[in-house]
Amino acid sequence: GKLKQFREGDSSSRMTESRIKLLDEISFDWGCSETSEGAIKLRDKWHRTYDELESFVQEFGHARVPALFPQNQSLRNWVNTQRQSFKKFSKGDSSSS
């Protein structure tokens, strides 16, 4: 795959075994997309909306946000997205993350 191509490359812009080793030695984060600014914002937004759902549950005693919920329509949309993601996850769909 691409990692093997990078490892075997010799150009200054290509990854090599020695470069991988050097980066590993300083605990380089190879999963940078998970810690990117955009991913952090999405994670924070998820937690903020979860907090909104938690408040909804405290107020109404359940997590069934009505289809027409003028106080917070985005909460209803988020709840639907969580349900859809759960269904995909349950079926083994890796795109549900």
Side-chain angles (χ1 to χ4, degrees):
K2 285 192 173 209
L3 183 57
K4 185 176 179 184
Q5 286 176 328
F6 281 121
R7 286 179 175 170
E8 293 174 351
D10 57 7
S11 135
S12 64
S13 64
R14 293 190 177 259
M15 188 59 68
T16 64
E17 283 287 342
S18 61
R19 290 177 183 178
I20 291 170
K21 185 178 179 194
L22 287 170
L23 291 168
D24 283 342
E25 287 174 2
I26 61 166
S27 301
F28 182 77
D29 183 3
W30 293 101
C32 63
S33 63
E34 294 176 12
T35 58
S36 70
E37 186 176 328
I40 291 169
K41 285 180 182 179
L42 282 175
R43 184 181 63 224
D44 291 348
K45 184 178 188 314
W46 190 96
H47 284 285
R48 279 193 311 274
T49 311
Y50 172 83
D51 291 342
E52 292 174 15
L53 179 60
E54 194 172 41
S55 295
F56 179 93
V57 169
Q58 289 174 355
E59 183 175 347
F60 297 102
H62 60 78
R64 296 179 308 276
V65 181
L68 296 175
F69 187 58
Q71 299 94 316
N72 191 343
Q73 190 60 42
S74 65
L75 179 60
R76 169 60 183 196
N77 297 340
W78 184 85
V79 167
N80 283 343
T81 299
Q82 301 316 300
R83 289 187 178 124
Q84 291 169 2
S85 293
F86 175 75
K87 286 178 186 176
K88 288 180 179 180
F89 177 81
S90 296
K91 292 178 181 178
D93 184 344
S94 63
S95 68
S96 63
S97 56

